[in-house]
Amino acid sequence: MKKVLYAIGFFVLCSCTPKYSEHVYVSDFTKYVKSGFEIYPVGTEIKERAYYPVADIKMNFYIGKESSDALKSGLKPVKDEQFGYIYTPTGEYITDKVANEAKKHDANAIMNYKVDKIQTSKGALLGYSATGVAVKIK
């Protein structure tokens, strides 16, 4: 009976540590732009018409243990005193992912690019959220 309780306790402790994951959210405007209809997301200024937006991008990167996303990412795990080895994206990694996603939508620039921390209400770091507007500069 004691072994069963230890096994259940171990499972509960292991299941509490999240796994590394990446999530991409894109509002693709390409079909509208090609038809001559332009969409300007909040924060996009129209001072000059030297560009047009093609997609609104949001990507979330959650810090965590090994997962299929972590293995595909090519990131190296780092030692964490509380959770063992975890995967944490660097600023360069996040920027590369956002830029590559923008290029998939035929953009040649990103406007209003911003990376924010995703934190618990007590301030613990869960991951990062990157947002930006993919644009085509004329």
Side-chain angles (χ1 to χ4, degrees):
M1 183 66 173
K2 227 180 200 181
K3 289 181 182 179
V4 172
L5 290 176
Y6 283 127
I8 291 171
F10 179 76
F11 177 74
V12 169
L13 287 174
C14 290
S15 64
C16 293
T17 305
K19 291 187 176 187
Y20 178 83
S21 63
E22 298 179 6
H23 305 274
V24 178
Y25 307 94
V26 175
S27 298
D28 187 357
F29 308 143
T30 308
K31 73 178 183 178
Y32 300 103
V33 171
K34 286 180 180 176
S35 71
F37 185 83
E38 298 175 11
I39 298 173
Y40 292 89
V42 173
T44 307
E45 296 182 24
I46 312 173
K47 292 180 180 176
E48 296 179 25
R49 299 195 43 94
Y51 67 89
Y52 54 92
V54 293
D56 192 24
I57 298 173
K58 178 176 183 175
M59 299 180 84
N60 291 334
F61 302 84
Y62 292 97
I63 296 168
K65 295 190 312 182
E66 186 176 297
S67 66
S68 60
D69 278 349
L71 296 174
K72 285 188 282 185
S73 73
L75 292 170
K76 295 192 189 301
V78 293
K79 180 80 168 151
D80 181 81
E81 289 183 25
Q82 185 177 2
F83 298 112
Y85 285 94
I86 60 170
Y87 291 80
T88 304
T90 63
E92 181 181 8
Y93 178 82
I94 293 169
T95 302
D96 284 348
K97 293 289 279 193
V98 174
N100 288 333
E101 188 64 37
K103 289 175 185 177
K104 288 180 189 176
H105 300 279
D106 201 31
N108 60 7
I110 299 172
M111 293 184 63
N112 299 324
Y113 180 63
K114 184 177 181 185
V115 178
D116 290 315
K117 293 178 182 177
I118 301 171
Q119 297 177 298
T120 65
S121 59
K122 294 184 179 183
L125 182 64
L126 297 175
Y128 300 93
S129 179
T131 58
V133 180
V135 299
K136 180 81 172 183
I137 297 175
K138 296 178 183 179

CSV table of all heavy atoms in Angstrom, one decimal, residues 4-35:
chain,number,residue,atom,x,y,z
A,4,VAL,N,2.2,2.1,-3.4
A,4,VAL,CA,1.1,2.7,-4.3
A,4,VAL,C,1.0,4.2,-4.0
A,4,VAL,O,0.9,5.0,-4.9
A,4,VAL,CB,-0.2,1.9,-4.1
A,4,VAL,CG1,-1.3,2.7,-4.8
A,4,VAL,CG2,-0.1,0.5,-4.6
A,5,LEU,N,1.0,4.5,-2.7
A,5,LEU,CA,0.9,5.9,-2.3
A,5,LEU,C,2.1,6.7,-2.8
A,5,LEU,O,1.9,7.8,-3.2
A,5,LEU,CB,0.7,6.0,-0.8
A,5,LEU,CG,-0.6,5.6,-0.2
A,5,LEU,CD1,-0.6,5.6,1.3
A,5,LEU,CD2,-1.8,6.4,-0.8
A,6,TYR,N,3.3,6.1,-2.6
A,6,TYR,CA,4.5,6.8,-3.1
A,6,TYR,C,4.4,7.0,-4.7
A,6,TYR,O,4.7,8.1,-5.2
A,6,TYR,CB,5.7,6.1,-2.8
A,6,TYR,CG,6.2,6.2,-1.4
A,6,TYR,CD1,6.4,5.1,-0.6
A,6,TYR,CD2,6.3,7.5,-0.8
A,6,TYR,CE1,6.8,5.2,0.8
A,6,TYR,CE2,6.7,7.6,0.5
A,6,TYR,CZ,7.0,6.5,1.3
A,6,TYR,OH,7.3,6.6,2.6
A,7,ALA,N,3.9,6.0,-5.4
A,7,ALA,CA,3.8,6.1,-6.8
A,7,ALA,C,2.8,7.2,-7.2
A,7,ALA,O,3.0,8.0,-8.1
A,7,ALA,CB,3.4,4.8,-7.4
A,8,ILE,N,1.7,7.3,-6.5
A,8,ILE,CA,0.7,8.3,-6.8
A,8,ILE,C,1.3,9.7,-6.5
A,8,ILE,O,1.1,10.6,-7.2
A,8,ILE,CB,-0.6,8.0,-6.0
A,8,ILE,CG1,-1.3,6.8,-6.5
A,8,ILE,CG2,-1.5,9.2,-6.1
A,8,ILE,CD1,-2.5,6.3,-5.7
A,9,GLY,N,1.9,9.8,-5.3
A,9,GLY,CA,2.5,11.1,-5.0
A,9,GLY,C,3.6,11.5,-6.0
A,9,GLY,O,3.6,12.7,-6.4
A,10,PHE,N,4.4,10.6,-6.5
A,10,PHE,CA,5.4,10.9,-7.5
A,10,PHE,C,4.7,11.4,-8.8
A,10,PHE,O,5.1,12.4,-9.4
A,10,PHE,CB,6.3,9.7,-7.7
A,10,PHE,CG,7.3,9.9,-8.8
A,10,PHE,CD1,8.5,10.7,-8.5
A,10,PHE,CD2,7.2,9.4,-10.1
A,10,PHE,CE1,9.4,10.9,-9.5
A,10,PHE,CE2,8.1,9.7,-11.0
A,10,PHE,CZ,9.3,10.4,-10.7
A,11,PHE,N,3.7,10.7,-9.2
A,11,PHE,CA,3.0,11.0,-10.4
A,11,PHE,C,2.4,12.4,-10.3
A,11,PHE,O,2.5,13.2,-11.2
A,11,PHE,CB,1.9,10.0,-10.7
A,11,PHE,CG,1.0,10.4,-11.9
A,11,PHE,CD1,1.5,10.2,-13.2
A,11,PHE,CD2,-0.2,10.9,-11.7
A,11,PHE,CE1,0.8,10.6,-14.3
A,11,PHE,CE2,-1.0,11.3,-12.8
A,11,PHE,CZ,-0.5,11.1,-14.1
A,12,VAL,N,1.8,12.7,-9.1
A,12,VAL,CA,1.2,14.1,-8.9
A,12,VAL,C,2.2,15.2,-9.0
A,12,VAL,O,2.1,16.2,-9.6
A,12,VAL,CB,0.4,14.1,-7.6
A,12,VAL,CG1,0.0,15.5,-7.2
A,12,VAL,CG2,-0.8,13.2,-7.6
A,13,LEU,N,3.4,14.9,-8.3
A,13,LEU,CA,4.5,15.9,-8.3
A,13,LEU,C,5.0,16.1,-9.8
A,13,LEU,O,5.3,17.3,-10.2
A,13,LEU,CB,5.6,15.5,-7.4
A,13,LEU,CG,5.3,15.7,-5.9
A,13,LEU,CD1,6.5,15.1,-5.1
A,13,LEU,CD2,5.1,17.1,-5.5
A,14,CYS,N,5.2,15.1,-10.5
A,14,CYS,CA,5.7,15.2,-11.9
A,14,CYS,C,4.7,15.8,-12.8
A,14,CYS,O,5.1,16.5,-13.7
A,14,CYS,CB,6.1,13.8,-12.4
A,14,CYS,SG,7.6,13.1,-11.6
A,15,SER,N,3.5,15.6,-12.6
A,15,SER,CA,2.5,16.1,-13.5
A,15,SER,C,2.2,17.6,-13.3
A,15,SER,O,1.6,18.3,-14.1
A,15,SER,CB,1.1,15.4,-13.4
A,15,SER,OG,0.6,15.5,-12.1
A,16,CYS,N,2.7,18.2,-12.1
A,16,CYS,CA,2.5,19.6,-11.9
A,16,CYS,C,3.5,20.5,-12.6
A,16,CYS,O,3.2,21.7,-12.8
A,16,CYS,CB,2.7,19.9,-10.4
A,16,CYS,SG,1.4,19.1,-9.4
A,17,THR,N,4.6,20.0,-13.1
A,17,THR,CA,5.5,20.8,-13.8
A,17,THR,C,5.1,20.8,-15.3
A,17,THR,O,5.0,19.8,-15.9
A,17,THR,CB,7.0,20.2,-13.7
A,17,THR,OG1,7.3,20.0,-12.4
A,17,THR,CG2,8.0,21.1,-14.4
A,18,PRO,N,4.8,22.0,-15.8
A,18,PRO,CA,4.4,22.0,-17.2
A,18,PRO,C,5.4,21.7,-18.2
A,18,PRO,O,6.6,21.7,-17.9
A,18,PRO,CB,4.0,23.5,-17.4
A,18,PRO,CG,4.8,24.2,-16.3
A,18,PRO,CD,5.0,23.3,-15.2
A,19,LYS,N,5.0,21.2,-19.4
A,19,LYS,CA,5.9,20.9,-20.5
A,19,LYS,C,6.1,22.1,-21.3
A,19,LYS,O,5.2,22.9,-21.5
A,19,LYS,CB,5.4,19.7,-21.3
A,19,LYS,CG,5.4,18.4,-20.5
A,19,LYS,CD,5.0,17.3,-21.4
A,19,LYS,CE,5.2,16.0,-20.6
A,19,LYS,NZ,5.0,14.8,-21.4
A,20,TYR,N,7.3,22.3,-22.0
A,20,TYR,CA,7.6,23.4,-22.9
A,20,TYR,C,6.6,23.3,-24.0
A,20,TYR,O,6.3,22.2,-24.6
A,20,TYR,CB,9.0,23.3,-23.4
A,20,TYR,CG,9.3,24.4,-24.4
A,20,TYR,CD1,9.7,25.6,-23.9
A,20,TYR,CD2,9.2,24.2,-25.7
A,20,TYR,CE1,10.0,26.6,-24.8
A,20,TYR,CE2,9.5,25.2,-26.6
A,20,TYR,CZ,9.9,26.4,-26.2
A,20,TYR,OH,10.1,27.4,-27.0
A,21,SER,N,6.1,24.4,-24.5
A,21,SER,CA,5.2,24.5,-25.6
A,21,SER,C,5.2,25.8,-26.3
A,21,SER,O,5.6,26.8,-25.7
A,21,SER,CB,3.7,24.2,-25.2
A,21,SER,OG,3.2,25.1,-24.4
A,22,GLU,N,4.9,25.8,-27.6
A,22,GLU,CA,4.8,27.0,-28.4
A,22,GLU,C,3.4,27.1,-29.0
A,22,GLU,O,2.9,26.1,-29.5
A,22,GLU,CB,5.9,27.0,-29.5
A,22,GLU,CG,7.3,27.0,-28.9
A,22,GLU,CD,8.4,26.9,-30.0
A,22,GLU,OE1,8.0,27.1,-31.2
A,22,GLU,OE2,9.5,26.8,-29.7
A,23,HIS,N,2.9,28.3,-29.1
A,23,HIS,CA,1.6,28.5,-29.7
A,23,HIS,C,1.6,29.7,-30.6
A,23,HIS,O,2.1,30.7,-30.2
A,23,HIS,CB,0.5,28.7,-28.7
A,23,HIS,CG,0.4,27.6,-27.6
A,23,HIS,ND1,-0.3,26.4,-27.8
A,23,HIS,CD2,1.1,27.4,-26.4
A,23,HIS,CE1,-0.1,25.6,-26.8
A,23,HIS,NE2,0.7,26.2,-25.9
A,24,VAL,N,1.1,29.5,-31.8
A,24,VAL,CA,1.1,30.6,-32.8
A,24,VAL,C,-0.3,31.0,-33.1
A,24,VAL,O,-1.2,30.1,-33.4
A,24,VAL,CB,1.8,30.2,-34.1
A,24,VAL,CG1,1.8,31.3,-35.2
A,24,VAL,CG2,3.2,29.7,-33.9
A,25,TYR,N,-0.6,32.3,-33.1
A,25,TYR,CA,-1.9,32.8,-33.4
A,25,TYR,C,-1.7,33.9,-34.5
A,25,TYR,O,-1.0,34.8,-34.3
A,25,TYR,CB,-2.6,33.5,-32.2
A,25,TYR,CG,-2.6,32.6,-31.0
A,25,TYR,CD1,-1.6,32.6,-30.0
A,25,TYR,CD2,-3.7,31.6,-30.9
A,25,TYR,CE1,-1.7,31.7,-28.9
A,25,TYR,CE2,-3.7,30.8,-29.8
A,25,TYR,CZ,-2.7,30.9,-28.8
A,25,TYR,OH,-2.7,30.0,-27.7
A,26,VAL,N,-2.3,33.6,-35.7
A,26,VAL,CA,-2.1,34.6,-36.8
A,26,VAL,C,-3.4,34.9,-37.4
A,26,VAL,O,-4.2,34.0,-37.7
A,26,VAL,CB,-1.2,33.9,-37.9
A,26,VAL,CG1,-1.1,34.9,-39.1
A,26,VAL,CG2,0.2,33.6,-37.3
A,27,SER,N,-3.7,36.2,-37.6
A,27,SER,CA,-4.8,36.7,-38.4
A,27,SER,C,-4.3,37.0,-39.7
A,27,SER,O,-3.6,38.1,-39.9
A,27,SER,CB,-5.5,37.9,-37.7
A,27,SER,OG,-6.0,37.5,-36.4
A,28,ASP,N,-4.4,36.2,-40.7
A,28,ASP,CA,-3.8,36.4,-42.0
A,28,ASP,C,-4.7,37.3,-42.9
A,28,ASP,O,-5.9,37.0,-43.1
A,28,ASP,CB,-3.7,35.0,-42.7
A,28,ASP,CG,-2.9,35.1,-44.0
A,28,ASP,OD1,-2.6,36.2,-44.4
A,28,ASP,OD2,-2.7,34.0,-44.6
A,29,PHE,N,-4.2,38.4,-43.3
A,29,PHE,CA,-4.9,39.4,-44.1
A,29,PHE,C,-4.6,39.3,-45.6
A,29,PHE,O,-5.1,40.1,-46.4
A,29,PHE,CB,-4.6,40.8,-43.6
A,29,PHE,CG,-4.7,41.1,-42.2
A,29,PHE,CD1,-3.8,41.9,-41.5
A,29,PHE,CD2,-5.7,40.5,-41.4
A,29,PHE,CE1,-3.9,42.2,-40.2
A,29,PHE,CE2,-5.8,40.8,-40.1
A,29,PHE,CZ,-4.9,41.6,-39.4
A,30,THR,N,-3.8,38.3,-46.0
A,30,THR,CA,-3.3,38.2,-47.3
A,30,THR,C,-4.4,38.3,-48.4
A,30,THR,O,-4.3,39.0,-49.4
A,30,THR,CB,-2.4,37.0,-47.5
A,30,THR,OG1,-1.4,36.9,-46.5
A,30,THR,CG2,-1.7,36.9,-48.9
A,31,LYS,N,-5.4,37.4,-48.2
A,31,LYS,CA,-6.5,37.4,-49.2
A,31,LYS,C,-7.2,38.7,-49.4
A,31,LYS,O,-7.6,39.1,-50.4
A,31,LYS,CB,-7.4,36.2,-49.0
A,31,LYS,CG,-8.4,36.4,-47.8
A,31,LYS,CD,-9.3,35.2,-47.7
A,31,LYS,CE,-10.3,35.5,-46.6
A,31,LYS,NZ,-11.3,34.4,-46.5
A,32,TYR,N,-7.3,39.5,-48.3
A,32,TYR,CA,-7.9,40.8,-48.3
A,32,TYR,C,-7.0,41.8,-49.0
A,32,TYR,O,-7.5,42.6,-49.9
A,32,TYR,CB,-8.3,41.3,-46.9
A,32,TYR,CG,-9.2,40.4,-46.2
A,32,TYR,CD1,-8.7,39.5,-45.2
A,32,TYR,CD2,-10.6,40.3,-46.5
A,32,TYR,CE1,-9.6,38.7,-44.5
A,32,TYR,CE2,-11.4,39.5,-45.9
A,32,TYR,CZ,-10.9,38.6,-44.9
A,32,TYR,OH,-11.8,37.8,-44.2
A,33,VAL,N,-5.7,41.8,-48.7
A,33,VAL,CA,-4.8,42.7,-49.3
A,33,VAL,C,-4.7,42.4,-50.8
A,33,VAL,O,-4.7,43.4,-51.6
A,33,VAL,CB,-3.4,42.5,-48.7
A,33,VAL,CG1,-2.3,43.3,-49.4
A,33,VAL,CG2,-3.4,43.0,-47.2
A,34,LYS,N,-4.7,41.2,-51.2
A,34,LYS,CA,-4.6,40.9,-52.7
A,34,LYS,C,-5.8,41.4,-53.4
A,34,LYS,O,-5.8,41.7,-54.6
A,34,LYS,CB,-4.5,39.3,-52.9
A,34,LYS,CG,-3.1,38.8,-52.5
A,34,LYS,CD,-3.0,37.4,-52.7
A,34,LYS,CE,-1.6,36.9,-52.4
A,34,LYS,NZ,-1.4,35.4,-52.5
A,35,SER,N,-7.0,41.4,-52.7
A,35,SER,CA,-8.2,41.9,-53.4
A,35,SER,C,-8.3,43.5,-53.3
A,35,SER,O,-9.3,44.0,-53.7
A,35,SER,CB,-9.4,41.3,-52.8
A,35,SER,OG,-9.7,41.8,-51.5
